[in-house]
Amino acid sequence: MSYLTSPDAALAADGVSKRYRRGGPDVLDGCGFTVPAGVVCALVGPNGAGKSTLLELAAGLQRPTSGSVTVLGGPPHAGHPKVAYLAQHRPLFTRFTVAETLRLGARLNPGNWDVRLAERIAGPAHFHSKERVGNLSGGERTRIGLALALGKRADLLLLDEPMADLDVLARQELMGLLMAHVADTGTTVVMSSHIISELADTCDHLLLLDEGSTRLCGGIDDVTASHAVVTFAGGPERLAGHTVIESRLVGRGTSALIRPSGAPLPADWEVRTPSLDELVLAHLGTPDTSIPLIKEPAA
Amino acid sequence: MGFDFRIDRRGGIPAYVQIVQQVQQALRLGLLQPGDRLPTARAVVEATALNPNTVLKAYRELESQGLVETRRRHGTFVTGTLGRSSADSPWRAELADVAGRARAAGLERDDLAALFADVLEDLYPSKEPDVVPHQS
């Protein structure tokens, strides 16, 4: 199978598999996709889908067992000057103070460090703090990790569960700063999360992983528009010809989330576009992995 | 002067439609008037945590409705009004006069509405209906 390759891809994978030990399970299994430059991409999938592994591969911290990963047109490597990565477990030097941690960020990214943004994200109260990172709460550690990632002025931000541990207000504040950063710089963001409804407002691209392979990849508007939630009187046999993602009985009728075949839908069907939540849940509820990848439809 | 948009994440109304509606509402209430400046798209993005494209889409929609105008480097300004002056408009009095005579002559409400729609159709060539999706 071949995938769209764009010279402007920020992140691409081609037939990527990853196995951590010989004879172990494939965490990623023939995973392929392209994330165009300049998008804010939601990386979504159930636990164990391979999201964190994929981000580690893109950050150059792991190597694929087979296949290839491309970041910003080249091979990934740890310490890539234009790639920033927020790891799920927020690895920080626990004995450093917050101020020392941020000075380290500046030192590691000479001439390429946005001290004002890092300070705003860390929180002004923390910035000059003598508190050791090891004593911070999970949410505070996340802020410091995000400050390091965004302070770097990267062209590709890889964020693993960036909003975990944060309270509602901090989420709103930090997402606002992240989106403003995107507006200012056009940087590409790939972020994983379990909270799909939250991603719907911030992301414009979707990469849905399941069991180590790509289920959906594309612009969120395109992907939702290429599906339909239909309700009609009669049984599921009326869905013949369409790709049925999920269907259920509703009284004497049927409600289904489908990928229409292209022919006009019957006039007596009630038709609407699914929300991102509905789409993701329906796809994850379907064991059928033969559903082909959504490609960017011609506008 | 400021304008803080509030985005309701649960109502099911797309965020860009909410921005458009909040500006329309402020115009109807006279809280925004021609010449007033809207916050920059970037400021709205930071305050609402919405994807920048969502905010730009809302601003483009307001522009296409003739309600605001974006001047490069200066910002986005209110240029239109919405229905505020309807109560004291001289046109309202004239229309009321015509409608009153039509009713006296025996026209039903629907007859008059159809006639008015017909006249509007002649005067203002109909636009494509896809410009303003008010609901998802």
Side-chain angles (χ1 to χ4, degrees):
Chain A
M1 204 187 303
S2 70
Y3 298 94
L4 282 185
T5 52
S6 154
D8 294 318
L11 173 63
D14 188 9
V16 168
S17 295
K18 176 65 183 174
R19 194 177 304 141
Y20 281 100
R21 57 186 167 79
R22 192 185 292 266
D26 282 331
V27 181
L28 291 174
D29 186 6
C31 185
F33 60 84
T34 299
V35 176
V39 305
V40 181
C41 178
L43 175 55
V44 181
N47 292 321
K51 302 187 296 290
S52 293
T53 299
L54 181 65
L55 291 174
E56 286 174 6
L57 292 175
L61 302 181
Q62 300 277 350
R63 294 172 143 240
T65 310
S66 61
S68 68
V69 177
T70 309
V71 293
L72 304 173
H77 59 89
H80 194 300
K82 286 293 169 191
V83 178
Y85 169 56
L86 175 69
Q88 190 172 20
H89 302 296
R90 323 294 189 229
L92 297 164
F93 294 108
T94 54
R95 299 179 66 91
F96 276 31
T97 67
V98 174
E100 285 167 345
T101 302
L102 293 176
R103 277 208 299 279
L104 178 69
R107 193 76 65 83
L108 290 174
N109 300 285
N112 199 27
W113 179 252
D114 188 337
V115 66
R116 283 186 50 206
L117 183 60
E119 177 174 1
R120 281 197 68 186
I121 291 171
H126 291 134
F127 190 60
H128 301 290
S129 161
K130 298 273 180 284
E131 190 75 67
R132 286 185 199 281
V133 168
N135 295 333
L136 297 179
S137 71
E140 289 167 323
R141 286 168 61 98
T142 292
R143 287 190 86 108
I144 306 305
L146 270 172
L148 287 178
L150 268 72
K152 186 171 173 177
R153 284 197 178 123
D155 291 339
L156 173 61
L157 279 168
L158 305 166
L159 306 176
D160 200 348
E161 298 278 350
M163 296 298 130
D165 310 322
L166 293 175
D167 64 60
V168 181
L169 274 179
R171 277 172 195 226
Q172 172 85 6
E173 179 200 347
L174 292 174
M175 268 298 159
L177 287 171
L178 176 62
M179 288 301 110
H181 182 62
V182 168
D184 288 342
T185 62
T187 185
T188 308
V189 180
V190 179
M191 60 178 163
S192 67
S193 177
H194 289 112
I195 308 168
I196 303 161
S197 56
E198 207 162 71
L199 294 170
D201 284 326
T202 50
C203 297
D204 45 37
H205 213 82
L206 171 70
L207 172 53
L208 176 61
L209 289 188
D210 190 26
E211 295 180 348
S213 56
T214 308
R215 292 294 294 271
L216 285 170
C217 182
I220 289 176
D221 288 347
D222 297 333
V223 170
T224 51
S226 67
H227 291 73
V229 176
V230 298
T231 307
F232 52 81
E237 68 279 357
R238 294 191 69 192
L239 293 165
H242 303 289
T243 305
V244 180
I245 315 300
E246 181 190 63
S247 96
R248 62 197 173 90
L249 297 175
V250 182
R252 295 160 192 265
T254 303
S255 180
L257 196 150
I258 64 171
R259 181 112 47 80
S261 64
L265 298 172
D268 65 314
W269 290 16
E270 190 194 294
V271 181
R272 65 177 174 83
T273 305
S275 71
L276 183 62
D277 298 46
E278 287 176 305
L279 187 73
V280 168
L281 285 173
H283 272 279
L284 294 181
T286 312
D288 177 12
T289 52
S290 66
I291 295 162
L293 190 77
I294 295 272
K295 293 185 177 175
E296 299 269 66
Chain B
M1 201 194 68
F3 198 109
D4 290 337
F5 292 100
R6 282 277 177 280
I7 305 303
D8 172 15
R9 258 94 182 166
R10 298 204 194 154
I13 301 175
Y16 89 93
V17 175
Q18 293 186 46
I19 292 177
V20 170
Q21 288 175 343
Q22 284 172 37
V23 170
Q24 290 172 335
Q25 177 75 353
L27 285 165
R28 281 193 196 94
L29 295 172
L31 305 176
L32 281 177
Q33 292 176 8
D36 287 348
R37 181 149 77 170
L38 289 183
T40 62
R42 187 205 181 277
V44 178
V45 165
E46 181 169 335
T48 59
L50 291 173
N51 185 289
N53 291 324
T54 306
V55 178
L56 290 176
K57 186 174 178 183
Y59 273 34
R60 275 199 304 271
E61 177 62 38
L62 288 165
E63 280 174 20
S64 79
Q65 292 182 16
L67 299 177
V68 306
E69 193 177 295
T70 299
R71 297 171 207 155
R72 270 183 160 271
R73 303 237 158 248
H74 293 282
T76 299
F77 294 86
V78 174
T79 51
T81 54
L82 270 182
R84 184 155 191 257
S85 56
S86 69
D88 50 353
S89 163
W91 300 109
R92 188 185 196 287
E94 294 215 26
L95 275 171
D97 180 50
V98 170
R101 283 188 282 132
R103 185 173 70 169
L107 263 72
E108 295 288 332
R109 178 196 176 108
D110 288 347
D111 300 333
L112 195 53
L115 271 177
F116 189 59
D118 200 33
V119 171
L120 284 180
E121 188 60 34
D122 285 350
L123 291 177
Y124 302 92
S126 84
K127 288 191 288 185
E128 289 302 313
D130 63 351
V131 182
V132 193
H134 277 292
Q135 294 293 327
S136 60

